[in-house]
Amino acid sequence: MKQKYLNIALGAALVLAMSSCSDNDYTELDKGFNELALSTNATDIELLENVHGQEALKLSWTTGNNYGTGNAISYTLEIDEQGNEFTNPYTAIENSRQVYSWAPSVEDLNNILRDHFKVAAGDFISLEARVTAAVEGSDQLQESYATFTAIPYEPVTTTLYLLGDATPNGWSADNATAMTRKDNGVFSWTGNLTEGNFKFITTAGSFLPSYNNNGSGQLVYRTSDDQPDLQFHIDESHCYKVDVNLLDLTVSINKTEGIEPPFSSLFFVGNETDWNFRKMTQDPLDPFLFRIGVFFEKGGEFKFGTSEGSWENMYKAAHENAPYTDPEMELVKGFDPDNKWVLTASETNFAYKICVDIRPNSERMLMRLFTPYSQMYLVGDATPNGWDLGNATPMTQDASDPNIFTWTGNLKQGEFKFSADKKDDWNGAWFMSTSENEAPTGEIQKVLFIDKSDKGCQEQYKDLSTGGIDLKWKVTEAGKYTITLNQLLEEVIIVKQ
C-alpha cells in the first residue's frame, strides 16, 4: 500500500497487546517462551510537510523471551538502508526497558532520512528496522526485522521577509521586514503598508529565492532572474495583516486596525524636573516611541509616567540605580519595585535625547548624549537657493544657546526642510516636518529629526527604514518669514512677517 500523508490511510496493522506490568512480573505472566516479533503499520511512505506533526509510521514489537528467568528485557531499535547489514544504523531506541513501540512524526522521520541517510527530497529509500532484545544476566540476544520504504520532502524555509516599496524597509534586501513564523511554512506580519508593490524573500540579504505572485493572487516559488517577477500590489496605504502559507502557496492580505500602543501619552519625571511631569512627544512615524530632549543640570533619578501626576502604571528601570546607558525597562502597574535610572554628577551639564519604546514585552529606554550641530541650513524650492544642497541657505546659531538657530528672509511658494550637515549623498542629518506638506502655523510646531547615516537612529525604528523618510514643510504664501529652530527640543516656529 502507498501511504500519503495528506490523509493517512493506515493499512491493516498488527495490534499487539502490551503489558503495563513491571519487569519483575515476567515469570508470573509466563513470558519465558514468547518469540520476539517486530512489525510495522506502513510499508510504503511518502512524507509531506503539511502534516509534519502527524505520525509517520509505528514500529511495534512483542516482549520476547526471557528464558523463564523472570529477568528484565532491554530493547534496542535500529534502522539502516536495506542491504547495508546495519553498518551505519540510526539508533532510535537504545537499551530501554518496557518500551514496545517507536512512532516518529512525519517531520522527525524526514529529518532522519535527510540528515542521517542523506536522501534527497523526492527520492525513495528502502529501509530495514531491527529490534534487539537482551535479557539481564544473559549473553543471548534476540532479533527481529521489518522493512519499509520512504520518500522525504524538502522543508520550506524557516525565515520569510517582506520586500518592496510598499513595505516599511523598501527594496533593501539587507534590511527586509521579517515576518513571524507560526508553524512549518506558516508566517504572519502586521504593520503599515503603503501604496506600491512587494514580494517575499527567504533570506535576508538575498533577492533569491523569492515567493512571487503567480498572476492569480497565490504564491509561486522563484529561484532565477529568468523567471517572471510578478509582485503583489497595495492600492491604499493602511495597516495590514499579511498571512502566508508556503505549504499550500496561499497568501492573505487584509486591512486591520493595527496594534495600538498601550498608552497615548508619556511623561518624563525625576530630580531634573523636581518630580514634576514633563510631557514627551509621540513619534509621528512610530506611535510606540516617545521622545524628549533634556539639558540635565541636576542629574539624579528619573523614570516615566503614563498619566500626569500618577505614580502608578509607570515605566521604570529593570535594575536599581541603572545607568542611563541601560535600555532595559518594564511597566510597573503598582508602586513597587521602584527602580530608576540615575545620572551621576559627572554626567550632568550635558544635553541628552531620550527615546522610550513602549511595545509590550519589548519595552526599552534609549538615551544618548546630544552634541548640538554647529551649522544648520534651509533646503528646498521655497528657499533662496532651492534644492542646491551644496549652496544651501545658512541659518544663524544663537550666541547663548547653541541648540537654537534663526533665519529671516524671503520664502517662495514651495517646500523646504533643514540640513545639519549638507552631506552630498543626501543621507545625512535632517530636521523635517512631522507630516507631508505641513503648513507653517506661526506657532510652535514639532520637528522630526532623522540622521540617515546614524545606525543608532535607525535602530530606534523597528518597522521602517529611515533612509526613505522625506517630509517637508509647504509654503503656500510667499513672503518674508522668521524661522527659529530648536534642535534639542525638536521644535520650530515659522512666522510670516
Side-chain angles (χ1 to χ4, degrees):
M1 71 178 171
K2 181 135 185 188
Q3 179 158 318
K4 239 187 190 324
Y5 278 92
L6 283 169
N7 183 9
I8 300 181
L10 299 179
L14 178 62
V15 180
L16 302 170
M18 299 299 175
S19 171
S20 62
C21 300
S22 60
D23 285 338
N24 59 10
D25 289 334
Y26 281 120
T27 302
E28 178 185 346
L29 296 177
D30 194 23
K31 293 181 180 176
F33 302 101
N34 286 344
E35 180 180 358
L36 182 68
L38 175 65
S39 63
T40 177
N41 68 346
T43 57
D44 191 7
I45 307 166
E46 182 179 355
L47 303 173
L48 297 176
E49 191 172 10
N50 58 352
V51 286
H52 62 93
Q54 293 187 15
E55 181 182 289
L57 84 161
K58 186 174 185 178
L59 293 169
S60 305
W61 53 92
T62 58
T63 59
N65 190 342
N66 67 357
Y67 315 116
T69 63
N71 293 340
I73 303 176
S74 297
Y75 303 96
T76 296
L77 177 67
E78 300 167 291
I79 300 170
D80 204 351
E81 188 169 2
Q82 195 169 7
N84 209 29
E85 302 298 333
F86 291 90
T87 58
N88 180 38
Y90 172 82
T91 303
I93 294 174
E94 185 171 16
N95 295 326
S96 296
R97 298 179 180 179
Q98 293 185 306
V99 176
Y100 308 110
S101 65
W102 178 68
S105 68
V106 169
E107 184 170 7
D108 288 341
L109 183 57
N110 193 73
N111 291 337
I112 293 168
L113 298 181
R114 291 174 53 80
D115 297 340
H116 185 85
F117 295 107
K118 309 301 180 186
V119 187
D123 291 347
F124 79 92
I125 184 173
S126 296
L127 296 168
E128 186 172 24
R130 176 177 69 183
V131 64
T132 302
V135 180
E136 183 179 353
S138 173
D139 293 333
Q140 292 181 270
L141 298 177
Q142 306 159 67
E143 296 179 346
S144 184
Y145 300 83
T147 60
F148 62 96
T149 66
I151 302 174
Y153 58 82
E154 177 75 33
V156 296
T157 179
T158 59
T159 56
L160 196 66
Y161 303 84
L162 292 159
L163 180 72
D165 53 14
T167 71
N169 296 332
W171 287 107
S172 171
D174 293 328
N175 196 32
T177 302
M179 302 187 71
T180 300
R181 183 177 183 268
K182 301 294 187 179
D183 198 354
N184 288 39
V186 179
F187 297 85
S188 185
W189 177 83
T190 299
N192 292 323
L193 295 176
T194 58
E195 183 180 356
N197 296 328
F198 74 95
K199 57 183 176 180
F200 305 92
I201 58 174
T202 65
T203 307
S206 178
F207 289 96
L208 291 172
S210 66
Y211 284 89
N212 289 58
N213 191 337
N214 71 346
S216 300
Q218 290 192 308
L219 298 168
V220 61
Y221 190 54
R222 182 172 180 263
T223 59
S224 169
D225 288 327
D226 297 330
Q227 296 171 315
D229 191 20
L230 187 62
Q231 298 144 18
F232 297 91
H233 182 72
I234 296 297
D235 292 321
E236 179 185 357
S237 298
H238 203 277
C239 186
Y240 290 85
K241 187 173 187 292
V242 182
D243 293 297
V244 172
N245 189 322
L246 300 182
L247 302 182
D248 59 17
L249 297 176
T250 59
V251 58
S252 64
I253 306 166
N254 297 302
K255 289 182 180 178
T256 179
E257 293 307 311
I259 304 172
E260 296 293 331
F263 301 98
S264 58
S265 298
L266 211 64
F267 299 84
F268 171 76
V269 60
N271 282 11
E272 191 62 39
T273 66
D274 294 324
W275 297 101
N276 293 311
F277 286 65
R278 188 179 298 176
K279 191 170 184 178
M280 302 178 73
T281 300
Q282 192 171 30
D283 191 284
L285 305 178
D286 185 341
F288 289 90
L289 301 183
F290 290 82
R291 302 182 179 277
I292 192 169
V294 180
F295 187 88
F296 282 85
E297 295 179 304
K298 302 174 184 178
E301 300 176 325
F302 64 90
K303 53 187 175 180
F304 304 93
T306 59
S307 179
E308 187 169 9
S310 174
W311 301 101
E312 296 185 87
N313 293 321
M314 300 194 80
Y315 286 98
K316 304 179 182 181
H319 312 103
E320 187 176 4
N321 297 324
Y324 79 88
T325 54
D326 185 354
E328 293 190 53
M329 184 177 77
E330 59 185 5
L331 175 65
V332 178
K333 294 187 176 180
F335 300 99
D336 296 314
D338 193 23
N339 297 325
K340 296 175 280 289
W341 290 272
V342 177
L343 206 66
T344 65
S346 64
E347 295 167 335
T348 58
N349 293 316
F350 296 104
Y352 295 84
K353 287 196 175 184
I354 301 173
C355 174
V356 175
D357 189 341
I358 63 171
R359 283 175 173 78
N361 303 315
S362 300
E363 295 91 347
R364 54 190 180 139
M365 194 282 292
L366 305 173
M367 181 170 171
R368 305 174 73 186
L369 187 68
F370 178 68
T371 301
Y373 290 96
S374 59
Q375 296 176 309
M376 196 69 60
Y377 305 89
L378 291 165
V379 184
D381 55 9
T383 70
N385 297 323
W387 289 109
D388 183 358
L389 184 58
N391 194 33
T393 303
M395 302 182 72
T396 301
Q397 191 170 34
D398 188 275
S400 59
D401 188 344
N403 292 297
I404 296 176
F405 283 87
T406 59
W407 178 85
T408 298
N410 291 321
L411 293 178
K412 298 172 285 188
Q413 290 184 351
E415 301 172 328
F416 77 94
K417 54 185 177 178
F418 302 93
S419 171
D421 51 16
K422 292 202 303 183
K423 283 197 173 182
D424 55 11
D425 63 357
W426 295 79
N427 285 317
W430 296 92
F431 289 87
M432 309 180 189
S433 62
T434 58
S435 61
E436 187 60 60
N437 295 327
E438 186 173 349
T441 64
E443 300 178 348
I444 293 176
Q445 293 174 274
K446 298 305 295 184
V447 173
L448 173 65
F449 172 69
I450 295 289
D451 187 346
K452 299 184 179 184
S453 64
D454 180 21
K455 182 179 179 182
C457 182
Q458 173 60 72
E459 288 176 346
Q460 294 178 3
Y461 293 99
K462 288 190 171 183
D463 296 326
L464 60 86
S465 172
T466 58
I469 306 303
D470 187 25
L471 300 173
K472 299 172 286 289
W473 281 273
K474 183 74 170 182
V475 177
T476 58
E477 186 177 352
K480 188 176 182 179
Y481 286 81
T482 295
I483 301 175
T484 304
L485 174 70
N486 189 316
Q487 55 180 318
L488 175 61
L489 301 183
E490 297 181 358
E491 296 176 344
V492 67
I493 303 176
I494 308 170
V495 179
K496 189 175 186 298
Q497 303 299 308

